[in-house]
Amino acid sequence: MADTSGFHLPDLPMDFMRLVLASLDAVSVAKATAVCREWRSLGMEVWRKRTKQWHFGKSSWTALESEGLHLRLFADRWQIDKAALQALESMASPGKREEALTKLRAFGSDCLDVLLAAAHLFKGGPKDGPHLDQALTAVQAVRTAAELRSLLDNDVFDLAHLEHGALCIAQAHAPHVDVFGFVTPYLDQLAAEALARIAAMEGTPTNQQALEVVNQLLFLPRHEDHPFPFNVAAPLFPANVNHEAAWGDDTLRLNSVPLPAPSPNMWAIPPPGFGLELRGNAGDYYCASNSLLHDILGRSGMGIPISLCIIHAAVCQRIGIPVHLLRMPMHVMNGVIGASSPYQGPPARQHMSHAELAALGPSAFELYVDAFEGGRTQSWEAVVCDLSERIMLPILFPPGVLNLQGYLFRMCNNLFSVNSSSGDLASMHVVTQLATAIAPEDPQLWDSRLRASLKVQDCADAEEALRRFSMLPQDVQLEYAHANYVPSIRLQIDQVRRLLNRNGQ
């Protein structure tokens, strides 16, 4: 038998100890780092790697990351995840649901990772149910509403802000997937393909010729060998992460389960001579997916004018074609500035003040692109004739360029109308939360949010909406609601709360 009397654990190879510590749970790693300096140093490596598992969260966490305080960062985030799962478990009781949702909304994006992991790991099991969906939807709505408010604080208009806002709206409607994580890279890939096609052209093209390349890429029929979507998104979570948290009798052990990308598929980037075949959905115009960018690019290929124009403008902006969305009578089109000018390639992002944007008229645009009609390119005279025939009225005023708030509100208004018609109460509630972030001065929007939150029995959000309505100027409140409006709404909230408490007993 070999003599091991002089053998000590710290004498083990460092690479081996890295593997050992990496396989331990958080408590065991903390104990191991107290053994000696070498193990403490290895433990710090473990904490640094494990903090990479969190994809979402407030920007304040980056300060701890930059200061090298990985153990504190891990401990704080781990506690949030644990508390979030406890709140999620308590949502099964109707009487505790309000308190749980309030806690999850307070965590915001800090608890998004663990909720998404739970949704993936417990999919189809006893823990998968409406409470998990409601929790994810509530947290994503808080996150995206905050991002919309941040976008609207800008004094300049940038098409990138409009794209980001449209993605916020889509993300709120698809809480289980990382919409930003796959739509933005996909638009980048489309722009790269457009640039490659332009580079293959002879001579120096004009902006109009570059525009034709984009139109072909987006609107020509698909190649017969690439008829189905495929997944191009990066995983939302690392393939193997180390984390665990209890949820009832189950344990969420992310280190034991590979997590594939929970994202929809994407249409393949078409080869030269073919496109994505994006088109207007005239047959089912009032469908919610027509307004959601991830559904258009990842599933249906069909949309309404404003959503298709945003996709078209996003690709054009990436490669340096100057376009702007234009509000037409009952329609939206893209206007092209300097179509006959030589194409210069991708410049820095172009910013315009709201005053400069409002001053743009028909003379500023040489061409107009109708994304709903397969990228049809027209002059202003042809647009006037076409729209006059379509709406059977003369076009008496020039196209308008809305500000960011106007475009985002228009998208929310479309979705609210669609969801109201279909009776989708949960989506109606989401849209009202986004709309109040876009136009917080509008009392009617707060009233819509109040009524939507009561219909889905979300007393916590109803209380918040009532509080914000009460903060509006008194004359604004009275213009919309009667003097007893606030007490009557509070009575309705109390009635829903009592009903939930009875059901929870």
Side-chain angles (χ1 to χ4, degrees), residues 219 278-280 282 308 331 370-377 386 390:
F219 303 113
L278 301 183
R279 58 202 183 280
L308 291 171
H331 202 44
D370 193 337
F372 190 79
E373 296 292 340
R376 182 170 59 185
T377 304
D386 184 54
R390 182 182 303 179

Side-chain angles (χ1 to χ4, degrees), residues 216-228:
Q216 292 170 5
L217 175 62
L218 295 181
F219 303 113
L220 281 182
R222 302 185 189 102
H223 192 282
E224 60 182 7
D225 293 336
H226 299 274
F228 302 112

Side-chain angles (χ1 to χ4, degrees), residues 280-300:
N281 192 355
D284 191 13
Y285 191 91
Y286 298 102
C287 175
S289 63
N290 292 335
S291 297
L292 307 177
L293 301 195
H294 69 288
D295 270 339
I296 298 170
L297 292 172
R299 186 171 61 178
S300 67

Side-chain angles (χ1 to χ4, degrees), residues 3 11 18 57 118 162 263 274 317 323 351 398 405 443 488 502:
D3 181 14
D11 295 334
R18 282 191 178 91
L162 179 56
S263 54
F274 296 89
Q317 187 212 35
V323 302
H351 304 277
Q405 183 187 45
S488 66
R502 283 200 303 270

Side-chain angles (χ1 to χ4, degrees), residues 225-238:
D225 293 336
H226 299 274
F228 302 112
F230 76 114
N231 196 302
V232 298
L236 182 57
F237 306 105

